[in-house]
Every structure is written in structure tokens, then in C-alpha cells.
Amino acid sequence: MTNLPLRHSAEVAAAKAAGRPIVALESTIITHGMPYPQNLEVARQVEDDLRAAGVTPATIAVMDGTLHIGLEAHQLEALAQAKGVAKLSRADIAACMATGGTGATTVSATMIAAHLAGISVFATGGIGGVHRGAESSFDVSADLLELAQTPVTVVAAGAKAILDVAKTLEVLETQGVPVITVGQDSFPAFWSAESVFKSPLRMDDPVGIAAAHQMRVDLGLPGGQLVANPIPHTDEIPATELAPIIATAQADAEKHGIKGKAVTPYLLQRIYELTQGRSLTANIALVRNNARLAGAIAQALIANARIAGK
Amino acid sequence: MTNLPLRHSAEVAAAKAAGRPIVALESTIITHGMPYPQNLEVARQVEDDLRAAGVTPATIAVMDGTLHIGLEAHQLEALAQAKGVAKLSRADIAACMATGGTGATTVSATMIAAHLAGISVFATGGIGGVHRGAESSFDVSADLLELAQTPVTVVAAGAKAILDVAKTLEVLETQGVPVITVGQDSFPAFWSAESVFKSPLRMDDPVGIAAAHQMRVDLGLPGGQLVANPIPHTDEIPATELAPIIATAQADAEKHGIKGKAVTPYLLQRIYELTQGRSLTANIALVRNNARLAGAIAQALIANARIAGK
Amino acid sequence: MTNLPLRHSAEVAAAKAAGRPIVALESTIITHGMPYPQNLEVARQVEDDLRAAGVTPATIAVMDGTLHIGLEAHQLEALAQAKGVAKLSRADIAACMATGGTGATTVSATMIAAHLAGISVFATGGIGGVHRGAESSFDVSADLLELAQTPVTVVAAGAKAILDVAKTLEVLETQGVPVITVGQDSFPAFWSAESVFKSPLRMDDPVGIAAAHQMRVDLGLPGGQLVANPIPHTDEIPATELAPIIATAQADAEKHGIKGKAVTPYLLQRIYELTQGRSLTANIALVRNNARLAGAIAQALIANARIAGK
Ligand SMILES: [Mn+2]
Ligand SMILES: [Mn+2]
Ligand SMILES: [Mn+2]
């Protein structure tokens, strides 16, 4: 692995050397989630939130064939303005790197990169899941299988409510992925704090979540954990308000014949319009909220290891 | 792994030290399969059957955060009387242990624990599988994927006939799991010896099954084997008799609006009532029958290794 | 693993010792793909094509319990005439070997054997995939999951057009398998060069494909790559011509009540008849075309490693 084109930012390299807590961050939210310059502002905000809490951010991306674990300020700025950047998952990260390409990492590829770099905790907005209609399309996100095989704890506000959440929870159970909700009994619904689905597990304390992560490692289980962190109630769009909006967006998608990979971006744009931009405000709030919790888990992992004398 | 809270019973520790054959047993049958004191009597009976054949039983459970490989007599009694015990699979065993909880192990978690403890053979009643209606619910047991990745030979009387057995066999094939039926060509149907489904493989001799287990290890294949052991004809409820009973139970479930995770317990209870308890008698008989075969396979594994000079 | 009954042909052993390029070949095309003696002629032709390009062929098969990596001339001839040979995949290769049986290897088992023998590239006709109707049958080939877990680059002309290609591509994406098409943007359709499905990745140069293979290894990703190599236009049956023929074959299968595992052989036979044998001529052409590309990738892997100073 000596030839692997992987580079740490100065900040991440220093944190690793000193044994300080690090949280990985994905980059598709930067390249595909918001327009410039808002994407850059939010990315910087999330990184600064972590730094303020004593945690080092490691934003992950492939640039010109190199896998970056943490981006320098100018790299973050360049990525935020880049056009036509690929979205990388387990299936295509190696080909992108081998051909010297540039790509933003989804949950799947960010987990792979974090694990390679020895980073155990990763904050994102929401994970991919089982798409509505998957019983006939077989469209299931690679994120779910990544959680089953890569030992990274992923903090997310659930899965986007435009997915089939019931089936997403079933696949996670089949794949043996711990789904741990924080602070409530129901699995959160991204823009809304609550859903009608009971969470398989509930743990309200970052120290316990860190202990469960370490126990999986000690048991030799290869996969990670999904920590479902509900959006704060002050920032949410309540599910009762959002449900008819999602239904409208889906009816519009059908009416306009939107199909396949075009559906998700279309729905997100329609929901943005129909909520007068509140969906984006909520999204930013939940990402910051997830980074905060991820930072606390990363700190607890180190504290727990110190207590255990490791 | 030195910090892992894992404890062997005195009997299992002695058997491991002496290189004597050991068979793992699951504990959900104790906590969720029958009422007290019948559950305790059956658990003791199965353990004693194994001991009488020169094989050491290792009943697996998590108690107060410790993973037990073999239960002492007082622990078995305590588990048999415990209330509100969790059912643990790959997804939640680590969280249970990390929080000091108590849980009974399903097929999935028992395989993980057995493998950790170096035990290669495990006897149960029936494995979980693909639920009827899974084409729209996506409800597929984690047991199937565990068989694909953990190198333990699991002896079961097939999958419960209330499942979708055809789809269960398809998933096992897709996942690369050997399905070996003993003594007949059709895959057994739990309470009934025969089903309409052809078994992918047939091997009538424990020595051959043990050799196939070892060959998978030698090939570097990570998964286990499913050994399908038909219930003895003297103990079975023939499929022709059981089919209408299952149909009635399913119609009742639908009529009463039973949904999701409540369906399986409801069906098992209805089948128990409709067969005047014969389903439970059959269940006990098949578990004992599976333990007997598992013991013979565990003995053959050791004998084969001795012949191979390992 | 010292006891593993695995034998290299003289030619493969010499190539391994000298560090020369090797390409694995499967054997079900010999035992189940064509009648004798045509199967033998084609197998020899493909092997000779590779030798002429400076690449050593390693046809894989289990004979009398031994896993052969490369067949001597008399073994190839014996296999081509053998009757009732098993088709081996991940689920049954170990049992076949443990019982001293004989079996031809599918894509799944050939990948396992190639990886065991340190061979990184494998040429076949088409991979298995998701069967039409899999939304209710759950019939999905083990080849897809093998690609997700065994680090071998498989060169194929896509998946047979009688499969559900859209669902096959979805499962490959979910499983994190790179799908790299050569020389065009659409995923090829076995007998036809083009399909309506966009390929996830495109790479036109064997050197790049070899670099992507090596990058996956360096990243620690366990799986392989699917290289989709379109049948040469001069040899193809254009999709527009083939589509109604496949539809007729499927209607015939339904009319005659062909079900389950009998469907694929029936369809292939009907397509052979309805195309007056052109489907077989195309099949042979695409296999030879795939072997050529696989040889170039195997050579590039060695050349790349030399440049990297490994
Ligand atoms: Mn998808
Ligand atoms: Mn389930
Ligand atoms: Mn199949």
C-alpha cells in the first residue's frame, strides 16, 4: 500500500500523530448538495464547528487522482467551484484514482477512505437507502452494504424521507447493521425529527455509542454503526407538514416522466421550492447537528480507550 | 481482543483444552420458544443428549454484558426464568454487551459467538429465512447472510414452513451457502420431513459433511454450511396435514390485522393451538435430532483432522 | 492450506514461476455450453489464442476432487466428453472436492479458484445476473456477489440478454462492483454489441483497466471488476433483430410451462434454433474476443507492476 496516492491535510496529520479526535466528512454535499458559494460556507462552518469543539475535521475527496483525508483551505475552495465532478462510491473510487480523476465521495466511499486513514467516526446529512419502487427497480444504495462491511460509525439524520424507510430498515437488519437512534424511540426522518418507524436501538449517550463501536471491533465484526441523530425540533419541518409536500413532489415527478437517477435530484429541488427553501435550511442545521454528535463520539472513543488502558 | 467480556463454562473450557468435540446451542429457544419450566427442561435435555454422546454443549447467551460460551447450571436456570430478554443478532449483540445487557442469541449471533470461541458446529431448530411477502416487505432474516460469512456448520430442520422456502433457497444460492440435506433429496420443512423443494446438495454421512466444512476452510471461503436434517418421520406432522393448518393461521393473522414482527409469534401460537400442541412436541424432537447430528459432525471434524495429521 | 487438493498444469506452473501473464478460463462453457466435439475445439481455440498472444491459459475445473488450475491436453479432452458433470459455484465447490467429485466451474467458482492460485484476470462469455421475474422469484446469480468479494477482473460480453439487465446493473451498483465497458458508452448485451443501458464506467485501454484493478487492491477493497467487452460488430446479432427472437423464445417457454432452472437452457436452445445457429457462432466469437482483451489486461498488470517497481 506504499504506492497508494493518499494524502492527509496538515491538520489531520498533526491530529493523528497526537492521537486527537478526528471526524470524517463527505464531499458530495459540497459538489452536489448546494450551489457555490453557499456550499463552501456550509463546509467551512461544519469544519469550524468541529474545531471549536476540539475535534479535527477530515473532509474526504479525490482530486487529480489523489485521495485526500482532509482538505487544505484552497483545496476546499477549488472543490466547491469545480464543475462536473464525479460522485464516487465503492464501485468507482478506484477507477477515478487510477485515471487521475476528481470526485466527491458519497457515504460509501467516505467510509472506505476514513477506514483506510484510521478514522472511526464520520458525519453526514442522511444515508442513501432503498428507493421507493425498489421492489421492481432493485434500486438500493451501496451505502447500506458499506455500513455492513466497513467499521466506521456514521452519524446521520436518518435516511431522506423520499426513500422507502421501512425497506431501508429491513435491509439494514438483514445486513446486520446496528441502527442506534439518539434521544428518542422513533427513527428520524431527515427534515423531520420523528417518523412512524421504531428505531431498532436507542442510546442517548456518546460514551455508550463509542463503547458499542469498540465492542464491535473487539468482537471481530467488520461493519460499522448507523447513528441516527434527529434534527433539532427548532430546525425541523414536522412530518405532518412535509408528507403532503413529498407527495406533491412525487406526483410532479410522475407527471413529468422523471425516471431513474433523475428522480432524487428532481424531488429534492421540488421540495426546496415547495418549502420556500426551508428544506435546505433544515439540511444545513442537521448536518451541523450531526457533526457535533460525531465529534462527541470521536472524543468518547479516545477517552474510553484511555480508561481501558489501550 | 484481550478486553472482550467472553467467558467459557468450566465444561467448555475443559473440552477446548483437551481438544474434545463441542457443539454450540442458541438461547432464543429458551427465552422465546417455550414457557418456563418446559424451556429449562428441554434445554437440559438437549445438553444431556450431547453429553451422553461424548460431546460438550456450549449454550450461548449474553448475560449482564458478558458473552457466555456455555452456561453453568444456575445460569441456564436464571436465563430460563428471565423476563424481557432481548433477541440478539449481528446488528445488536455489540450494543447489548457494551451496555451490560442480557440477551438470547439467534442463529446469527450464535454463529458469531461460536466462531469467536473456535467452535465449528452449531445445532438449532430451524433457521430464519425469507418471509412470505418479502417481495414487498423486504423482510429477510440476517441468519441467511450470517451463513454466507461465518464459518460455522449449522444443523437445522430446514426453515420454518411459515416462511417462503423457495425464496429462502434462492437467497442461500445467491449468497453462496452450501445447503446439504441429510438422508433424503428434498429440503425438509421443519415440522414435516419432506417439502416440494429439491435440496441443492445431499450428504448422508457426518464424516463427509465434516470434510466439506474443512474443505471450505482450506479454500479460504469465509462462510458456513447449512445442514438440513429432516425431523424423524415418527415425530413429524406430515406436510399434507400441516399445509391447511398454516393456511388457516395465516388467514387468521390477516383477519386480525397482525403485521410486521408480530406475525411470526402469532402464527407459531396459532399453529400450536390448531395442532393441539403437536407443533411443540415436534419442535422439541427435531431440536434433539439436530443436536445428535451436530455432535456426530463435531466428532467427525476432530477425527478427520487427526487422520489428516493436523 | 497445505492439504488443499489443488494442482497447476505444467504450463501454468511454469508461467507462475517465471512471472508471465496468465488468464483463467471457466469450464461450464465446455461441459454445458456446446456439444462434443465442438466444445473441445472451441476450448482449444481460446487457449491457443491466448498462447499466440504470449499469455498462458488456465482452464479451471474440479476433476476427481482435485481443483485444477490449467488442464493438460488429455484432461481437457476428458472433461469435454464427460457426462453429468456438476456446475459448481461458491455454494458447492467445497462439497464436490470433499467427496472426490468432478465439476465444471461457473464464473463464481472460477473466480474463487483463480484468486486462490494468484491469477487476477479471467475471461468468460457472459456473467450470470438477475433473472427476469426476480422481483417475485428472487433468482439472482451468485456471480454478482462473487464479483463483490473476490479480487479478480472478469472480462465478459455483458450479461446474457435473456436476463433482466437493468436489475443486474442495479445489484452490481449496490454491491459496489466496478462495471467498466470498453470502447463504447452502453453496456453490451452479449450477442449484441449495444444495449439501451448506459455503462457506469468506460475505459478503452487495458493499461488503465489494469491500473484500476491494482488500485482496488491497494485500497484494500476485496472485490473484482466486471470488464464489459462488446462483441465485435461483425460478429453480433444486432439488438433490434434479436429482441423479437428473445420475446418469441420467452413466449414459447411460458406456453410450454417451462419453470425455474429449466428456463435458461430452454431459452438458449430456442434462440439457437430461431437464429439458425447464429447465436452460437456469436457466442464463440465473443469468448475469443474476451480472451484477447483479458490477455492484454494480464500483460498490462505485469507491465504496470514493473514500472511501479513492485
Ligand atoms: Mn441506486
Ligand atoms: Mn426481519
Ligand atoms: Mn439462480
Side-chain angles (χ1 to χ4, degrees):
Chain A
M1 226 167 356
T2 44
N3 291 311
L4 188 68
L6 181 151
R7 193 169 309 159
H8 295 88
S9 66
E11 187 184 13
V12 170
K16 283 186 71 169
R20 287 197 300 265
I22 305 172
V23 164
L25 300 168
E26 46 111 330
S27 46
T28 47
I29 194 174
I30 301 171
T31 55
H32 292 76
M34 296 167 217
Y36 181 84
Q38 193 179 22
N39 60 350
L40 180 61
E41 286 158 21
V42 171
R44 282 181 179 153
Q45 182 68 66
V46 174
E47 290 200 349
D48 286 343
D49 287 351
L50 283 167
R51 289 187 191 103
V55 176
T56 300
T59 300
I60 311 275
V62 175
M63 298 180 79
D64 302 323
T66 294
L67 177 55
H68 288 273
I69 310 296
L71 297 179
E72 307 297 347
H74 70 279
Q75 293 169 329
L76 192 64
E77 175 126 18
L79 189 71
Q81 297 192 57
K83 302 276 174 225
V85 174
K87 279 174 74 169
L88 302 178
S89 74
R90 172 174 282 257
D92 37 30
I93 185 169
C96 178
M97 290 173 66
T99 54
T102 292
T105 51
T106 60
V107 169
S108 158
T110 307
M111 289 181 73
I112 292 168
H115 176 52
L116 263 177
I119 301 173
S120 299
V121 187
F122 157 32
T124 185
I127 59 156
V130 178
H131 286 261
R132 295 197 189 187
E135 58 274 27
S136 58
S137 73
F138 280 33
D139 191 358
V140 176
S141 169
D143 293 355
L144 303 183
L145 275 80
E146 199 65 50
L147 281 160
Q149 62 188 308
T150 302
V152 172
T153 285
V154 179
V155 182
K160 288 206 175 69
I162 56 174
L163 296 168
D164 187 323
V165 177
K167 288 192 182 64
T168 299
L169 289 170
E170 287 289 354
V171 170
L172 288 167
E173 181 182 329
T174 303
Q175 295 284 338
V177 177
V179 177
I180 304 168
T181 297
V182 176
Q184 65 184 33
D185 291 330
S186 82
F187 186 69
F190 199 73
W191 301 286
S192 316
E194 302 264 3
S195 78
V196 298
F197 302 103
K198 192 177 171 343
S199 174
L201 295 166
R202 171 178 175 168
M203 296 179 83
D204 292 356
D205 178 7
V207 175
I209 295 170
H213 176 102
Q214 188 58 47
M215 188 64 76
R216 272 181 84 80
V217 173
D218 291 348
L219 282 165
L221 300 177
Q225 303 186 122
L226 174 59
V227 174
N229 190 31
I231 184 171
H233 280 284
T234 48
D235 298 307
E236 76 165 337
I237 307 176
T240 47
E241 193 180 330
L242 197 60
I245 289 172
I246 292 175
T248 302
Q250 278 164 333
D252 290 351
E254 212 153 301
K255 198 166 60 190
H256 292 92
I258 313 295
K259 290 225 169 77
K261 289 195 188 303
V263 173
T264 296
Y266 177 88
L267 292 178
L268 294 180
Q269 177 59 26
R270 271 314 271 145
I271 292 168
Y272 174 81
E273 293 162 8
L274 292 165
T275 60
Q276 275 103 33
R278 280 172 65 209
S279 64
L280 181 57
T281 317
N283 196 338
I284 294 168
L286 67 85
V287 169
R288 293 183 65 183
N289 188 51
N290 293 343
R292 265 191 296 273
L293 177 60
I297 296 169
Q299 288 171 321
L301 264 173
I302 290 174
N304 287 357
R306 204 166 288 146
I307 293 165
K310 286 183 193 169
Chain B
M1 222 163 2
T2 44
N3 290 310
L4 188 69
L6 180 150
R7 194 169 308 160
H8 295 89
S9 66
E11 186 183 15
V12 170
K16 281 187 72 168
R20 286 197 301 265
I22 306 172
V23 164
L25 300 167
E26 47 110 330
S27 46
T28 47
I29 195 174
I30 301 171
T31 55
H32 293 76
M34 296 166 215
Y36 181 84
Q38 191 180 23
N39 59 351
L40 180 62
E41 287 158 20
V42 172
R44 282 181 178 153
Q45 182 68 67
V46 174
E47 290 200 349
D48 285 343
D49 287 350
L50 282 167
R51 290 186 191 101
V55 176
T56 302
T59 300
I60 311 276
V62 174
M63 298 180 79
D64 302 324
T66 294
L67 177 56
H68 288 273
I69 310 296
L71 298 178
E72 307 297 348
H74 69 277
Q75 292 169 330
L76 191 65
E77 174 126 19
L79 189 71
Q81 297 192 58
K83 301 277 175 226
V85 174
K87 278 175 75 169
L88 302 178
S89 74
R90 172 174 281 256
D92 38 29
I93 185 171
C96 179
M97 290 173 66
T99 54
T102 292
T105 52
T106 60
V107 169
S108 159
T110 308
M111 288 181 73
I112 291 167
H115 176 51
L116 264 177
I119 301 173
S120 300
V121 187
F122 156 32
T124 184
I127 57 156
V130 178
H131 286 261
R132 295 197 191 187
E135 58 274 27
S136 57
S137 73
F138 280 34
D139 192 358
V140 176
S141 169
D143 293 355
L144 302 184
L145 274 80
E146 200 64 50
L147 281 159
Q149 62 187 308
T150 302
V152 172
T153 286
V154 179
V155 182
K160 287 203 175 72
I162 56 174
L163 297 168
D164 187 324
V165 177
K167 288 192 182 64
T168 299
L169 289 170
E170 287 289 354
V171 170
L172 288 167
E173 182 184 328
T174 302
Q175 295 284 337
V177 177
V179 176
I180 304 168
T181 297
V182 177
Q184 66 184 32
D185 291 329
S186 81
F187 186 70
F190 199 73
W191 300 286
S192 315
E194 301 265 2
S195 78
V196 298
F197 303 103
K198 192 178 171 344
S199 174
L201 294 165
R202 172 179 174 168
M203 296 178 81
D204 292 356
D205 177 8
V207 175
I209 295 170
H213 176 102
Q214 187 59 48
M215 187 64 76
R216 273 182 83 80
V217 173
D218 291 347
L219 283 166
L221 299 177
Q225 304 186 122
L226 174 59
V227 174
N229 189 31
I231 184 172
H233 281 283
T234 48
D235 298 307
E236 75 164 337
I237 307 174
T240 46
E241 193 180 331
L242 197 60
I245 290 172
I246 292 176
T248 301
Q250 278 164 332
D252 290 353
E254 211 153 300
K255 198 166 61 190
H256 292 92
I258 313 295
K259 290 226 169 75
K261 288 195 189 303
V263 173
T264 295
Y266 178 87
L267 292 179
L268 295 180
Q269 177 59 27
R270 272 312 272 144
I271 292 168
Y272 174 82
E273 292 161 9
L274 292 166
T275 61
Q276 274 103 33
R278 280 173 64 209
S279 63
L280 182 57
T281 317
N283 196 340
I284 294 167
L286 66 85
V287 169
R288 294 182 65 183
N289 189 51
N290 293 343
R292 265 190 297 273
L293 177 60
I297 296 169
Q299 289 171 320
L301 264 173
I302 289 174
N304 286 358
R306 204 166 287 144
I307 292 165
K310 287 182 191 168
Chain C
M1 223 161 2
T2 44
N3 291 309
L4 188 68
L6 180 150
R7 193 169 309 159
H8 295 88
S9 66
E11 187 183 13
V12 170
K16 282 186 70 169
R20 286 197 301 265
I22 305 172
V23 164
L25 299 167
E26 46 111 330
S27 45
T28 47
I29 194 175
I30 301 171
T31 55
H32 293 75
M34 297 167 217
Y36 181 84
Q38 191 180 23
N39 59 350
L40 180 62
E41 287 158 21
V42 171
R44 282 180 178 155
Q45 181 69 66
V46 173
E47 290 200 348
D48 286 342
D49 288 350
L50 283 167
R51 288 186 191 103
V55 176
T56 301
T59 300
I60 310 276
V62 175
M63 298 181 79
D64 301 325
T66 294
L67 177 55
H68 288 273
I69 310 296
L71 298 178
E72 307 297 348
H74 70 278
Q75 292 169 330
L76 191 64
E77 174 126 19
L79 189 71
Q81 297 192 57
K83 302 277 175 224
V85 174
K87 278 175 75 169
L88 302 178
S89 73
R90 172 173 282 256
D92 37 30
I93 185 169
C96 178
M97 291 173 66
T99 54
T102 292
T105 51
T106 61
V107 168
S108 159
T110 308
M111 288 180 74
I112 291 168
H115 176 51
L116 264 177
I119 301 173
S120 300
V121 187
F122 156 32
T124 184
I127 58 156
V130 178
H131 286 261
R132 295 197 191 188
E135 59 274 26
S136 57
S137 73
F138 279 34
D139 190 357
V140 175
S141 169
D143 292 354
L144 304 183
L145 274 80
E146 200 64 52
L147 281 160
Q149 63 188 306
T150 302
V152 172
T153 285
V154 179
V155 183
K160 287 205 177 70
I162 55 176
L163 297 167
D164 187 324
V165 177
K167 288 192 182 64
T168 300
L169 288 170
E170 287 290 353
V171 170
L172 289 166
E173 182 183 328
T174 301
Q175 295 283 337
V177 177
V179 177
I180 303 168
T181 297
V182 176
Q184 65 184 33
D185 291 329
S186 83
F187 186 69
F190 199 72
W191 301 286
S192 315
E194 302 265 2
S195 78
V196 299
F197 302 103
K198 191 177 170 344
S199 174
L201 295 166
R202 171 179 174 168
M203 295 179 82
D204 292 356
D205 178 7
V207 175
I209 296 169
H213 176 102
Q214 188 59 47
M215 187 65 75
R216 273 180 84 81
V217 173
D218 291 347
L219 283 165
L221 300 177
Q225 304 186 121
L226 173 58
V227 175
N229 190 30
I231 184 173
H233 280 283
T234 48
D235 298 308
E236 75 164 337
I237 307 176
T240 47
E241 193 180 331
L242 197 60
I245 290 173
I246 292 176
T248 301
Q250 278 164 333
D252 290 353
E254 212 152 301
K255 198 167 60 190
H256 292 92
I258 312 295
K259 289 227 168 77
K261 288 195 191 304
V263 173
T264 295
Y266 177 87
L267 292 179
L268 295 179
Q269 177 59 28
R270 271 313 271 146
I271 292 168
Y272 174 81
E273 293 161 8
L274 292 166
T275 61
Q276 274 103 33
R278 281 173 63 209
S279 64
L280 181 57
T281 317
N283 196 339
I284 295 168
L286 67 85
V287 169
R288 293 183 65 184
N289 189 51
N290 292 342
R292 265 190 297 272
L293 177 59
I297 296 170
Q299 288 170 321
L301 263 174
I302 290 174
N304 286 357
R306 204 165 289 146
I307 292 165
K310 287 181 190 166

